[in-house]
Structure formats: structure tokens, C-alpha cells
């Protein structure tokens, strides 16, 4: 039978519950246990698919096409295993299930209430993955902060499970903040005490406290927290700010978080943690040999979380290439043909980001043109690929009004148009082309060299596609479709063979990049940026030498 670890958060949001959950899972996995992580989100949206990235950051898409919370991305990147729809449940989804049952008459005339009907449904979801028989441990991260009205039913469900299941089957980790007051030169434990008190009032007592802190806690502070929060001193875990999230598993290992959990859950069969690959990765990440600068052209650049998986993929690819990848955010709304060379000069590569809607589109097209003409490595993802197609149509094929019908429904040259199956869809949530689809790659193409194989599968999230009726014109003029869906012929990859590195993909390679398996396209792109950087340095050095002679 699976065992359950619940992770709650206190004091403030953004303490990194997802990273703590993923780090603990990594350690347990490294000890030979089979672990999965799920996230329960207290908001009413059925899933985050309809949320603006400014609200909730990136929407992470799973293999089975679920639009989920970005924390699932961290779980996959750390564990190198897939999650699914079952790993992310919101209050909206819980209510939707219960209300559908009520409409079906399944409650046989009973009054439907938060307790027991909503909490029963929450508990069913909490136990679902554990019942598949695939996992020794299921870690459940409860979104929000203890004390929020909307997370109460989730906490109540944890309380009931603690009572219903054997003592060694359930445990609760509470993540809090121990702030350092500079003026007093002191760490303060009171917010943690209050947070644990608030959690205890709901009937849930934490077994472990993970304390985020800027300064080492020391034994005195740990003892004080243990005494006033009524947990064992060994169960007060220091979580110091780390230079990278990928260091957190090692910090947690040092603090013995995994051993404390194994002891509480009375799990006796486990090995020494095998983190060799992780350590090699981390070493290369922390001690890069050189640096490349990549321009990220997007319209949500004010919010780092909007492009989370892309940023993490660059970190993975940087480690493989032993370079530090510095990202320069360039707001697409402010790029014009007048200022483009000034804005993009000095970069080693350009990534045009995914997105929706017309805002910032023209700037993206100008940026693509700059990369195409200057030979700067270019990588377009989803909307970024579509912009590369539009730019080529306008500036090479002589179709000045070419566009996507997403932005201009009446364009005379709809080189990107809505997929046929999308045309009849009216509902917004979960209706795009989502999840994993196969792609067949042309032999001898850049994509082939990068992937090293001709049959791949990548994840998607889009409504529009390359309009195949224009394909011959594109190919005749040098833009090749080097990856297509084998069943439908939908264009998945475009390339410009004469360019040092110019590739656009309709899918989202960033969604499958993990520490152990970095996304090949990112690795290739960073490699090309490194070459571009070395070349431009040697050209500059040559010019300087010539000037001195
Ligand atoms: N808006 C485009 C589409 O729906 C691209 C989507 C994306 O970049 N994820 O096809």
C-alpha cells in the first residue's frame, strides 16, 4: 500500500513548496523508491489552461494533454518521470465532479455539502495515484497558504486521512519562513509558531517543519521552534536559500529530510541515495567554462514564471554545453525595424517565445528577420515558429500582408491558419491540440542531426498550424518542412538549410526537458550560440589586431 506525504505552506506564498516536494521526491527516488507528486490547487478554475500567464505563470502540459500547474514541470524535471491529469486537481475540478454527480441523482436525495461530499471527493483524488499500485510514496502539495479560506477543505481532507489511515501511512510537512531581521541581527521564529498554531487549529499537526531562511538556523533556533511548535528537534529542517533550485535536493539530504520521512512512515527497505548523475549536472552548472547570451523575445517577460520551462531547459542545456546561459528578456512590443539591431546586437542567439493574440506580434517578426539575415542562431517555439513562417512569406516570398488568421482573419495570405478540427470548437478550456503527438523528421536535416533519430514525440498546445497549401512555395525558396505529423501531415518543424542555425517548431520541446534528459533542441541551440559567440569574438579580435598593425 502506498504511503502519503502532504506538504502545506505557511506564513507567505512563494516559499517553494514545489521545489521542496520535488527535492524530497528526488531523494526518495534516489534511494530506490517509486515516488510521484501531485498538486492540489484551491482555485475555482477547472485547470490553469484559461489563466493568463500574468496570473499564474506558465501552463504546463503533460503527455496526456492536461493543462496543469507549473509545479508539475518541476516534478518532471527533478524526477525524470511523466505526470498526468491525475497529478493536478483544482477546487473547480472537485466541484465539477460533485455537481455532475448531483445532477445525475447519485446522492439519492441527500443535501450535498462541503463536508462530507467535497472533502470525500478531495480524499478520493488524494488517494487515486496511490491506488494504482505503481508508487511506494505519493507526495501531495497543497497549493496556497494555511489560513486561506479556500484551502480549508483540503486541510480538512488531510485531517480526515490522518485519522482514517494507519499512523505510519500519512505524514505532514509544513513549510514556513524564518525571517532574518537585519536591524535586530536576529532570526525570528514567531511567524512559524503562528503558522503551526493556525494549522493545528484545523486539527492537522505537522510531523516535519521545513524552514526557509537566509541565515543558518543553528541548534538554539531549531530547539526553540521544536519546543514551541511541538515537533521533534530533528524534524526541524533548515532550508537555506540556494544559488539554484537544483541544489535543494543536496541541502535536504544534508538535513536528512528523506530519512526523517522514511522513519515516520516506517519504511525500512531503501538504499543509499544514488545522486551521481545529479551531482555531475550540478557541478557543470555551477562551474561553467564560458557564457552565452540568449535574447528571449516574448510579451510576458515581466513575469519569470511565464516562461518557466523554457528558462529551466536553458539551464539544463547550459550544463550539457558547460556554459552559463544568460537570458536577456526583450519585450516584443518595443522592437521595431528602426531599433532592432540596437536591441539585439551582441546576443548569441534568439528565441522567439510561444504566445497568443496580436500584442507584440510585429516585434517578433522583425526579430526573426534580424536573425535570418544576420546569421544569428534562431529558435522559434510554437507562436515563434509561426512568426518565422510569416516573416519568410512577407520578406522572401513577397506576400507583404501574409499573416496568421489568429491575428488577421482577412489576410490575403493566411500562411498560418486554424486547424480544421479547431474550427467547430466554441469552448475555451482544454480544447486546443494538447499533449504528445508523433513527428517524423527528414533524414539529413538539422533536426535529424540534433535528435539523432527520425521518429520523435513532443507535446503541443495550439490551435493554428502551417497552411500546407503554401508548402511548395516555401520549400522552393529555401524554407523546408523537416518534421511532420505522420498521420495528418501537419508541419511540426521548419528550417532554413543555408543558415547556421534556424529552426522553428510547432510543439513545445521545453516541456520534456529534464535534468537527466535535457531537450535536444535546447542543447543544440545553446551549442550553436556558443559557436556563434566564439566566432564573433574571433572576428572582433581579428579586427582589433588589424587595426593595431
Ligand atoms: N497562438 C498560437 C496557436 O494557438 C500559438 C500557441 C502557442 O504558442 N502555444 O496556434
Amino acid at each position: 500500500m502506498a504511503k502519503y506525504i502532504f506538504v502545506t505552506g505557511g506564513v507567505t506564498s512563494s516559499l517553494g513548496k514545489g521545489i521542496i516536494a520535488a527535492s524530497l521526491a528526488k531523494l526518495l527516488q534516489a534511494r530506490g523508491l517509486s515516488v510521484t507528486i501531485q498538486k492540489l490547487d484551491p482555485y475555482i478554475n477547472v485547470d490553469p489552461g484559461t489563466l493568463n500567464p500574468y496570473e499564474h505563470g506558465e501552463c504546463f502540459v503533460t503527455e496526456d494533454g492536461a493543462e496543469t500547474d507549473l509545479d508539475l514541470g518541476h516534478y518532471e524535471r527533478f524526477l525524470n518521470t511523466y505526470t498526468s491529469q491525475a497529478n493536478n486537481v483544482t477546487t473547480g475540478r472537485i466541484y465539477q465532479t460533485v455537481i455532475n454527480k448531483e445532477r445525475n441523482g447519485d446522492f439519492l436525495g441527500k443535501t450535498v455539502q462541503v463536508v462530507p461530499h467535497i472533502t470525500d471527493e478531495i480524499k478520493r483524488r488524494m488517494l487515486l495515484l496511490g491506488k494504482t499500485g505503481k508508487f511506494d510514496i505519493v507526495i501531495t502539495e497543497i497549493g496556497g497558504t494555511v489560513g486561506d479560506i479556500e484551502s480549508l477543505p483540503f486541510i480538512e481532507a488531510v485531517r480526515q486521512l490522518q485519522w482514517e489511515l494507519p499512523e505510519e501511512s500519512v505524514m505532514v510537512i509544513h513549510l514556513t519562513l524564518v525571517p532574518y531581521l537585519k536591524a535586530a541581527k536576529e532570526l525570528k521564529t514567531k511567524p512559524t509558531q503562528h503558522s503551526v498554531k493556525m494549522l493545528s487549529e484545523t486539527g492537522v499537526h505537522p510531523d516535519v517543519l521545513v524552514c526557509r531562511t537566509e541565515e543558518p538556523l543553528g541548534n538554539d533556533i531549531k530547539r526553540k521552534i521544536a519546543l514551541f511548535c511541538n515537533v521533534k528537534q530533528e524534524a526541524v529542517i533548515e532550508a537555506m536559500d540556494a544559488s539554484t533550485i537544483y541544489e535543494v535536493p543536496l541541502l535536504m539530504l544534508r538535513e536528512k529530510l528523506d530519512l526523517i520521512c522514511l522513519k515516520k512512515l516506517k519504511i525500512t527497505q531503501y538504499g543509499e541515495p544514488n545522486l551521481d548523475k545529479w551531482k555531475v549536472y550540478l557541478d557543470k552548472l555551477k562551474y561553467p567554462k564560458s557564457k552565452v547570451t540568449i535574447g528571449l523575445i516574448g510579451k510576458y517577460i515581466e513575469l519569470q514564471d511565464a516562461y518557466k520551462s523554457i528558462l529551466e531547459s536553458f539551464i539544463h542545456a547550459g550544463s550539457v554545453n558547460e556554459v552559463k546561459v544568460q537570458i536577456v528578456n526583450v519585450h516584443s512590443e518595443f522592437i521595431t525595424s528602426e531599433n532592432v539591431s540596437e536591441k539585439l546586437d551582441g546576443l548569441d542567439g534568439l528565441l522567439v517565445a510561444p504566445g497568443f493574440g496580436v500584442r507584440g506580434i510585429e516585434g517578433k517578426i522583425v526579430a526573426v528577420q534580424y536573425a535570418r539575415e544576420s546569421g544569428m542562431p534562431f529558435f522559434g517555439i510554437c507562436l515563434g515558429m509561426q512568426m518565422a513562417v510569416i516573416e519568410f512569406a512577407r520578406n522572401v516570398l513577397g506576400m507583404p500582408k501574409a499573416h496568421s488568421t489568429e491575428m488577421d482573419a482577412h489576410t490575403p495570405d493566411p500562411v498560418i491558419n486554424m486547424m480544421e478540427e479547431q474550427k467547430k470548437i466554441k469552448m475555451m478550456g482544454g480544447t486546443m491540440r494538447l499533449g504528445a503527438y508523433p513527428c517524423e523528421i527528414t533524414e539529413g536535416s538539422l533536426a535529424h542531426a540534433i535528435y539523432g533519430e527520425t521518429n520523435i514525440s513532443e507535446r503541443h498546445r495550439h490551435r493554428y498550424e502551417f497552411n500546407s497549401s503554401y508548402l511548395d512555395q516555401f520549400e522552393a525558396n529555401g524554407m523546408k518542412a523537416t518534421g511532420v505529423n505522420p498521420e495528418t501531415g501537419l508541419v511540426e518543424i521548419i528550417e532554413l538549410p543555408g543558415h547556421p542555425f534556424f529552426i522553428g517548431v510547432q510543439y513545445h520541446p521545453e516541456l520534456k526537458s529534464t535534468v537527466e534528459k535535457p531537450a535536444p533542441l535546447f542543447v543544440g541551440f545553446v551549442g550553436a550560440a556558443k559557436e556563434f559567440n566564439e566566432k564573433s569574438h574571433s572576428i572582433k579580435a581579428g579586427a582589433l589586431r588589424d587595426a593595431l598593425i
Side-chain angles (χ1 to χ4, degrees), residues 34 57 107 111 131 145 153 155 175 209 211 220 264 278 347 350 395 407 423 425 431 456 461 476 480 498 524 540:
S34 159
F107 292 112
T111 309
K131 288 192 172 153
T145 308
I155 306 287
L175 177 64
L209 291 176
C211 305
D220 286 352
K264 159 71 185 143
W278 192 274
L347 298 174
L350 214 61
N395 300 324
M407 328 299 167
K423 290 186 179 155
I425 294 171
T431 56
I456 58 159
R461 185 172 189 245
K480 305 280 180 201
K540 274 185 200 144

Side-chain angles (χ1 to χ4, degrees), residues 353-357 381-384 386 406-407 416 419 432 461-465 506 508:
F356 295 85
I381 298 182
C382 206
L383 184 70
Q386 297 176 356
E406 179 181 3
M407 328 299 167
I416 302 291
M419 284 179 279
M432 280 186 252
R461 185 172 189 245
H462 65 122
R463 287 202 167 84
Y464 295 81
E465 64 174 330
Q506 184 55 75
H508 291 262

Side-chain angles (χ1 to χ4, degrees), residues 105-217:
D106 294 352
F107 292 112
L108 303 174
K110 285 257 179 290
T111 309
V112 181
Q113 294 176 300
V114 173
V115 182
H117 302 100
I118 295 296
T119 46
D120 278 354
E121 178 58 18
I122 294 175
K123 284 191 290 180
R124 191 182 72 79
R125 301 272 186 166
M126 283 172 165
L127 301 181
L128 210 57
L129 284 165
K131 288 192 172 153
T132 59
K134 288 195 229 158
F135 305 106
D136 302 314
I137 296 175
V138 178
I139 300 180
T140 304
E141 179 190 347
I142 312 259
T145 308
V146 165
D148 295 347
I149 293 175
E150 52 186 19
S151 44
L152 273 175
F154 292 96
I155 306 287
E156 167 62 11
V158 175
R159 184 195 70 76
Q160 291 183 18
L161 284 181
Q162 264 187 324
W163 183 81
E164 284 167 13
L165 296 178
E167 215 186 310
E168 67 277 12
S169 288
V170 185
M171 68 176 291
V172 176
I173 297 176
H174 189 55
L175 177 64
T176 74
L177 176 71
V178 179
Y180 180 75
L181 290 194
K182 280 204 185 81
K185 292 198 178 64
E186 256 185 289
L187 284 164
K188 291 293 178 191
T189 64
K190 199 71 90 187
T192 296
Q193 294 180 42
H194 280 301
S195 177
V196 172
K197 190 173 163 215
M198 204 179 306
L199 184 59
S200 301
E201 278 167 7
T202 61
V204 172
H205 192 73
D207 301 288
V208 174
L209 291 176
V210 176
C211 305
R212 275 297 298 274
T213 172
E214 285 172 52
E215 298 289 327
L217 291 184

Side-chain angles (χ1 to χ4, degrees), residues 495-524:
E495 292 179 22
L496 284 180
H499 191 284
F501 190 103
F502 191 103
I503 197 160
V505 291
Q506 184 55 75
Y507 52 83
H508 291 262
E510 74 275 21
L511 298 174
K512 274 174 70 170
S513 192
T514 71
V515 166
E516 277 181 39
K517 270 204 194 139
L521 278 171
F522 279 86
V523 176

